[in-house]
Amino acid sequence: MFKLTVAFLALFSSTALATSIVIRAAAIAPVPDNTGVAQAPDAIIIFTGCNDLSLSGICFDWTSTVLPSACKDFRTSDQDDSLTSARSPSGIQCTLFADPNCSGRSQLVVDTINDLRTVDFDDTATSFSCAAP
């Protein structure tokens, strides 16, 4: 397994919002984390998206320090139009959007969707946002 963490800072209202992405995939040898950016200590995983069925293949764990989260764009993680399965942890619901900036057709994710084809959203998501229900 290798892990690559990328952190983003965005202004949300007048508060800085720290978000990071953790990429998980099988690898022949571990790849060191050379980004030099640590996750915020109070960050929680708000969404996991994978390019294969049942949360397998290349997966991204998105974290945030606040809910609701700001709109996140999958184009920043090379996950644009490639999600096949998705999960939001208990107590968080996320909405996938077909277009950038959390617009266009949408699909609610509560818990796990092991196959986004079952809801006609496979390889469709471009952005998402999450909130407490």
Side-chain angles (χ1 to χ4, degrees), residues 47-55 74 79 81-87 96 105 107-109 112-125:
F47 179 78
T48 300
C50 301
N51 70 348
D52 212 344
L53 297 171
S54 302
L55 300 175
F74 288 125
Q79 240 185 344
D81 296 335
S82 68
L83 287 182
T84 297
S85 56
R87 182 180 77 81
L96 301 173
R105 191 165 64 97
Q107 174 61 50
L108 184 64
V109 177
T112 302
I113 301 177
N114 284 312
D115 184 353
L116 285 166
R117 294 177 298 187
T118 62
V119 292
D120 194 30
F121 223 77
D122 184 44
D123 296 337
T124 301

Side-chain angles (χ1 to χ4, degrees), residues 1-126:
M1 301 292 282
F2 73 89
K3 185 197 288 189
L4 169 68
T5 303
V6 181
F8 297 95
L9 291 178
L11 290 180
F12 184 68
S13 297
S14 60
T15 307
L17 168 65
T19 301
S20 65
I21 306 167
V22 177
I23 305 168
R24 300 180 279 123
I28 295 173
V31 176
D33 180 2
N34 293 323
T35 62
V37 179
Q39 283 190 12
D42 55 349
I44 60 168
I45 294 175
I46 59 169
F47 179 78
T48 300
C50 301
N51 70 348
D52 212 344
L53 297 171
S54 302
L55 300 175
S56 62
I58 297 174
C59 296
F60 289 73
D61 289 332
W62 293 74
T63 65
S64 182
T65 57
V66 296
L67 285 175
S69 68
C71 180
K72 312 229 182 295
D73 194 322
F74 288 125
R75 294 175 300 172
T76 63
S77 68
D78 294 329
Q79 240 185 344
D80 185 32
D81 296 335
S82 68
L83 287 182
T84 297
S85 56
R87 182 180 77 81
S88 59
S90 177
I92 298 174
Q93 61 185 26
C94 297
T95 304
L96 301 173
F97 294 90
D99 299 325
N101 303 315
C102 292
S103 63
R105 191 165 64 97
S106 64
Q107 174 61 50
L108 184 64
V109 177
V110 177
D111 196 31
T112 302
I113 301 177
N114 284 312
D115 184 353
L116 285 166
R117 294 177 298 187
T118 62
V119 292
D120 194 30
F121 223 77
D122 184 44
D123 296 337
T124 301
T126 297

